[in-house]
């Protein structure tokens, strides 16, 4: 009976988020409290309404060579409370989940099994149901428990792009480095020229324009004598668009950093196509209008927190940014430093630089 009681209590805490009395908590071991819980998730042992402190949370931690499970306690500073949903400390007035013990649990699909459990081309839902693989992570729940839409991160999505195949990915059409150490063309590392890019993200206003003027005063130059240029990934809030217009006039690249710059990383990771469209294409429209940039040169995208939004983000970028680049002329390749490799002509604008880029589709990287 005691074992059964412990199991029921653990199930209550893990799935329903009920508050447990001090006596009930003493029954449960760390192993039972941590069952089926990811290691970096913080949760409460007692809710605010049940005598707990909204500042206090714990997480499961494996200690020592034996991997003994223990509870590591964390307390937010005075005046703050722990937001269970966002997994961070915030001002107490902004936290509305002090009466919840943990994040809601979602059913997950069984993507990896020891033996095949579904027909070819199918994967198993969390409840054992089998559906077509292509239905996973398409923003439409197809499993009756909705689990086909609950494991869709860049690393989990079963329909994500395949890993780099070095036998298929060959220059000049393709290049990849699984571990980040390969050098294009097999050049010795000590012979690779150093490329430095100067980038900024966020609002452009009186808080930073003086710094930008100091950095780009003309004293610092590239090896060919051209002045250095920067890339400014602009967010909408608090931005002075006359200052953005001046940066563009001086030849700096202006790109987008979103409209809202929301401080919820999962908003970007789990964002839909329409979310990314509104944030990035919407930001470009605002910049073009209020900074009066009409030459089509706003083509760069940087995601807040450098988060990757998976296929939805890249589909939006392909539709809205890579397909709207200015026409180019087949002259010399362009570098990120704002000048071409084979000439000492200094470009005065991003548009002029793009016109001297090589003809054909250009695959801009995402930051």
């Amino acid at each position: 009976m005691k074992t059964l009681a412990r199991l029921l209590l653990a199930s209550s805490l893990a799935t329903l988020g009920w508050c447990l009395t001090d006596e009930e908590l003493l029954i449960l071991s760390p192993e039972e409290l941590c069952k089926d819980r990811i290691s970096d998730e913080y949760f409460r042992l007692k809710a605010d309404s049940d005598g707990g402190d909204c500042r206090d949370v714990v997480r499961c931690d494996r200690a020592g060579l034996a991997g003994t499970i223990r509870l590591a306690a964390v307390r937010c500073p005075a005046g703050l409370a722990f937001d269970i949903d966002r997994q961070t400390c915030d001002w107490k007035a902004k936290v509305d989940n002090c009466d919840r013990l943990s994040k809601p649990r979602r059913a997950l699909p069984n993507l990896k099994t020891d033996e095949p459990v579904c027909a070819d081309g199918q994967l198993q839902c969390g409840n054992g149901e089998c559906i077509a693989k292509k239905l996973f992570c398409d923003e439409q729940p197809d499993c009756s428990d909705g689990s086909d839409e609950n494991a869709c991160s860049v690393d989990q999505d079963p329909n994500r792009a395949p890993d780099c195949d070095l036998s298929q990915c060959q220059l000049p059409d393709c290049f990849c480095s699984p571990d980040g150490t390969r050098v294009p063309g097999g050049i010795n590392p000590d012979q690779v020229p150093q490329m430095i890019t100067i980038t900024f993200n966020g609002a452009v206003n009186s808080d930073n324009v003086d710094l930008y003027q100091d950095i780009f005063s003309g004293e610092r130059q590239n090896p060919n004598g051209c002045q250095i240029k920067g890339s400014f990934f602009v967010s909408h809030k608090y931005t002075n668009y006359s200052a953005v217009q001046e940066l563009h006039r001086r030849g700096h690249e202006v790109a987008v950093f979103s409209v809202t710059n929301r401080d919820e990383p999962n908003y970007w990771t789990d964002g839909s196509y329409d979310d990314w469209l509104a944030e990035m294409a919407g930001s470009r429209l605002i910049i073009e209008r209020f900074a009066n940039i009409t030459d089509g040169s706003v083509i760069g995208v940087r995601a807040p927190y450098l988060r990757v939004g998976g296929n939805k983000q890249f589909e939006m970028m392909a539709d809205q940014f890579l397909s709207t680049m200015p026409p180019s002329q087949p002259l010399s390749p362009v570098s990120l430093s704002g000048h071409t490799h084979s000439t000492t002509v200094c470009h005065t604008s991003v548009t002029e630089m793009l016109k001297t880029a090589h003809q054909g589709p250009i695959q801009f990287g995402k930051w």
Side-chain angles (χ1 to χ4, degrees):
M1 288 295 293
K2 187 174 182 180
T3 301
L4 178 60
R6 292 171 64 164
L7 291 175
L8 290 174
L9 288 173
S11 176
S12 297
L13 181 64
T15 61
L16 298 179
W18 292 348
C19 297
L20 305 180
T21 66
D22 292 339
E23 293 77 13
E24 290 171 333
L25 283 172
L26 288 174
I27 295 176
L28 296 175
S29 67
E31 288 80 5
E32 290 164 327
L33 287 170
C34 295
K35 180 177 172 55
D36 298 326
R37 193 185 297 275
I38 58 178
S39 61
D40 59 350
E41 178 189 341
Y42 290 91
F43 59 97
R44 307 187 207 284
L45 294 178
K46 303 196 73 171
D48 214 27
S49 59
D50 197 42
D53 191 328
C54 198
R55 297 163 58 195
D56 295 332
V57 288
V58 296
R59 68 174 176 85
C60 302
D61 181 42
R62 292 187 179 273
L65 296 176
T68 303
I69 296 178
R70 64 181 183 182
L71 297 180
V74 172
R75 165 168 283 193
C76 295
L80 304 183
F82 193 86
D83 190 312
I84 284 291
D85 291 327
R86 293 190 292 126
Q87 294 284 289
T88 187
C89 295
D90 202 348
W91 298 111
K92 189 167 185 178
K94 296 176 65 176
V95 178
D96 59 2
N97 49 48
C98 289
D99 288 335
R100 282 176 34 211
L101 297 183
S102 62
K103 298 175 67 175
R105 294 308 176 100
R106 300 184 299 174
L108 296 176
N110 300 316
L111 300 180
K112 296 181 180 180
T113 57
D114 294 335
E115 299 290 339
V117 294
C118 297
D120 289 344
Q122 293 186 332
L123 293 174
Q124 190 178 54
C125 305
N127 59 4
E129 178 185 1
C130 292
I131 65 171
K133 176 183 175 181
K134 66 181 181 181
L135 298 178
F136 281 75
C137 301
D138 63 353
E139 298 188 343
Q140 296 292 331
D142 296 289
C143 296
S144 57
D145 62 359
S147 60
D148 58 305
E149 301 301 317
N150 292 341
C152 296
S153 69
V154 176
D155 296 325
Q156 295 173 310
D157 187 349
N159 294 306
R160 63 187 180 276
D163 294 334
C164 172
D165 184 348
L166 296 179
S167 66
Q168 299 295 322
C169 182
Q170 300 289 330
L171 289 171
D173 300 317
C174 176
F175 175 79
C176 62
S177 176
D179 62 359
T181 61
R182 292 184 64 226
V183 179
I187 304 173
N188 290 329
D190 59 356
Q191 298 298 315
V192 177
Q194 185 179 31
M195 300 287 289
I196 299 174
T197 60
I198 304 177
T199 68
F200 305 88
N201 55 254
V204 177
N205 51 41
S206 57
D207 290 338
N208 48 37
V209 290
D210 289 340
L211 172 63
Y212 299 152
Q213 289 177 357
D214 290 341
I215 295 174
F216 302 105
S217 62
E219 297 179 2
R220 301 174 179 87
Q221 297 181 336
N222 283 302
N224 67 345
C226 296
Q227 294 183 18
I228 63 172
K229 305 294 181 182
S231 294
F232 292 83
F233 295 85
V234 179
S235 57
H236 175 60
K237 195 174 183 179
Y238 304 125
T239 283
N240 180 339
Y241 285 98
S242 64
V244 176
Q245 182 182 32
E246 177 64 13
L247 289 170
H248 177 261
R249 187 190 70 81
R250 290 174 174 268
H252 300 291
E253 180 187 16
V254 175
V256 301
F257 190 59
S258 80
V259 175
T260 66
N261 195 19
R262 286 180 60 168
D263 60 355
E264 303 172 32
N266 287 338
Y267 169 76
W268 305 102
T269 300
D270 301 330
S272 66
Y273 180 97
D274 289 338
D275 291 333
W276 284 99
L277 179 69
E279 291 282 0
M280 300 305 177
S283 178
R284 180 177 60 192
L285 291 174
I286 292 172
I287 291 171
E288 290 177 339
R289 177 175 180 181
F290 292 104
N292 195 29
I293 299 177
T294 59
D295 56 9
S297 63
V298 183
I299 57 176
V301 176
R302 173 177 282 180
Y305 299 95
L306 302 183
R307 302 291 283 201
V308 178
N311 293 341
K312 303 305 177 184
Q313 177 189 359
F314 290 107
E315 288 171 6
M316 181 282 300
M317 291 172 61
D319 292 345
Q320 299 295 323
F321 287 85
L322 301 184
S323 62
T324 58
M325 292 179 55
S328 56
Q329 301 297 324
L331 294 178
S332 52
V334 69
S335 78
L336 293 175
S337 56
H339 62 276
T340 57
H341 295 298
S342 58
T343 179
T344 56
V345 176
C346 298
H347 296 295
T348 57
S349 71
V350 174
T351 306
E352 182 181 351
M353 183 177 71
L354 288 171
K355 287 182 178 179
T356 61
H358 66 278
Q359 187 71 29
I362 301 177
Q363 299 298 321
F364 279 83
K366 182 203 75 66
W367 290 78

